[in-house]
Amino acid sequence: MEKYWNQEIECMPREDMKKLQDERLVAQVKHVYENVKYYRDLMDEKGVKPEDIKSTDDLHKLPFISKADLREAYPYGLLAKPLGDCVRIHSTSGTTGKRVVAFYTQHDIDIWDECCARAITAAGGTNEDVVQIAYGFGLFTGGAGLNGGSHKVGCLTLPMSSGNTDRQITFMRDLGATILCCTPSYAAYIGETLHDMGLTPDDIKLKAGIFGAEPWTEEMRRSIENSLGIKAYDIYGLTEISGPGVAFECSEQSGMHINEDNFIAEIINPETGEVLPEGEVGELVFTSITKEAFPLLRYRTRDLCVLSRKKCSCGRTLVKMAKPMGRSDDMMIIRGVNVFPSQIETVLIEQGYSPNYLIEVDRVNNTDTIDINVEMNPDQLSDKVKDMQAQERSLAEAMKAMLGINPKVHLVTPKSITRSEGKAVRVIDRRKLHD
Ligand code: DLL
């Protein structure tokens, strides 16, 4: 029997959920218009008044907001509550430009904790579980979000943070952790280290993992499930909207239920901004309808995704988002062809390679080049150059079939690619350095 954290909301009939969203949206637009000058200006510019937004059917009338707006308004320009009412900030990693800071009131934290509690329960968690949190703690939202959710469910919580992998495994064994929360790339690394220590899944009590914060493929899921002997659940979120728990996977493991009582999702054509019907791929846009301190209306995530309202076997009625196919800005355009790192990962794991790889993109004599460095498993090593070349050729052919372009493939020795303890860096695009 599927367990829910909040059955009334998670299984609410669609019409009732729409009514709830309608009411919350109307109130949120008013709150934002009255308290945030930046929004008031954007809405005035578009000629929209709060009275024009009577229900979610009017959502499309509101202006979008993007990361560029968040940077422009940094740090306090989008704050909708007095600082005295705020209790916490978190921040994005700021790898591309100025960091974005998001503010939370205690009410915002409570809602966020509830979203993560739903995710943990959907992964089979109860107050009998021991939850090991190996997401980073600090400004990153991963650690704090799952920590709050785990407390709410009443699990024994191990706030490990990321890193120190041997110690992660020692604690996992000694304290009998049953649920692991970390990035999928770190989960793969923990699985690898477990085996390197001469242990097997039978030596640990883990039954489930809640993995997210970066794109990962179904092939990666199966590989982690095998190495740790668990069921691996996806979880999605972003700092700007709260953090992990915006959407979470259930027993069906076929996409993530969006916590629609708090977030309205739309899919838009990233070029034109036009709202696309259910089932079409486009950019995911979120409106937070319960957030007090940092409420974003129609925030463009840049994540490419599809929504589905198909009935789910778990009984939840919350709309589902498919695994994001990567951010629109992760997409590499190589000689005019769109290439996602996730396509490369799929081929690698299908062909029996490890999920440890590094993609290097460059431009030489005005032509794009792509080099894929792939780590071999020890049993793939050969001292015959010919064998290695044949392996490289065969992998390059499989890549060409998937990508439609001819990459250079380099097999590298086991353990030579740096492991990730957080979000993995899979691509180095040197073209950006020349531009
Ligand atoms: O990564 C929040 C989070 C923490 C989610 C822990 C899940 C677990 P940011 O650092 O702001 O927040 O990065 C958000 O990461 O826009 C996506 O591009 C990507 N992302 C997050 N979850 C997934 C996922 C956290 N499950 C950005 N699959 C998002 C694919 C994901 N991409």
Side-chain angles (χ1 to χ4, degrees), residues 135 140-142 212-215 234-239 244 303 324 327 423:
Y135 284 113
F140 178 55
T141 53
E214 62 184 0
D234 203 351
I235 184 166
Y236 170 89
L238 60 167
T239 317
D303 290 323
R327 299 183 83 120
K423 296 190 191 228

Side-chain angles (χ1 to χ4, degrees), residues 350-378:
E350 265 175 10
Q351 301 280 322
Y353 289 91
S354 73
N356 300 304
Y357 60 97
L358 182 69
I359 304 164
E360 292 177 276
V361 179
D362 207 343
R363 185 171 295 136
V364 180
N365 298 331
N366 289 323
T367 305
D368 296 327
T369 59
I370 175 163
D371 289 70
I372 309 174
N373 302 293
V374 180
E375 202 179 280
M376 284 174 287
N377 294 316

Side-chain angles (χ1 to χ4, degrees), residues 392-407:
E392 278 179 350
R393 260 199 314 275
S394 129
L395 188 53
E397 270 161 30
M399 287 289 174
K400 185 171 180 220
M402 168 67 103
L403 310 176
I405 51 160
N406 237 332

Side-chain angles (χ1 to χ4, degrees), residues 267-276 281-283 300:
I267 294 284
I268 62 159
N269 175 329
E271 310 291 325
T272 62
E274 175 206 357
V275 179
L276 298 176
V281 181
E283 180 178 348
R300 295 186 59 156

Side-chain angles (χ1 to χ4, degrees), residues 62-136:
L62 290 168
F64 291 115
I65 190 147
S66 69
K67 196 142 189 159
D69 292 298
L70 269 56
R71 291 203 171 115
E72 196 180 320
Y74 173 90
Y76 297 126
L78 288 165
L79 195 60
K81 279 281 186 184
L83 272 182
D85 291 349
C86 298
V87 297
R88 176 102 64 83
I89 71 155
H90 282 283
S91 168
T92 57
S93 53
T95 41
T96 51
K98 214 183 328 187
R99 274 176 180 270
V100 165
V101 268
F103 299 82
Y104 302 74
T105 62
Q106 186 56 51
H107 181 254
D108 294 334
I109 300 267
D110 293 342
I111 287 181
W112 183 21
D113 288 351
E114 151 108 19
C115 289
C116 288
R118 291 181 197 172
I120 292 171
T121 310
T126 69
N127 63 346
E128 302 292 323
D129 279 290
V130 179
V131 176
Q132 178 157 353
I133 301 175
Y135 284 113

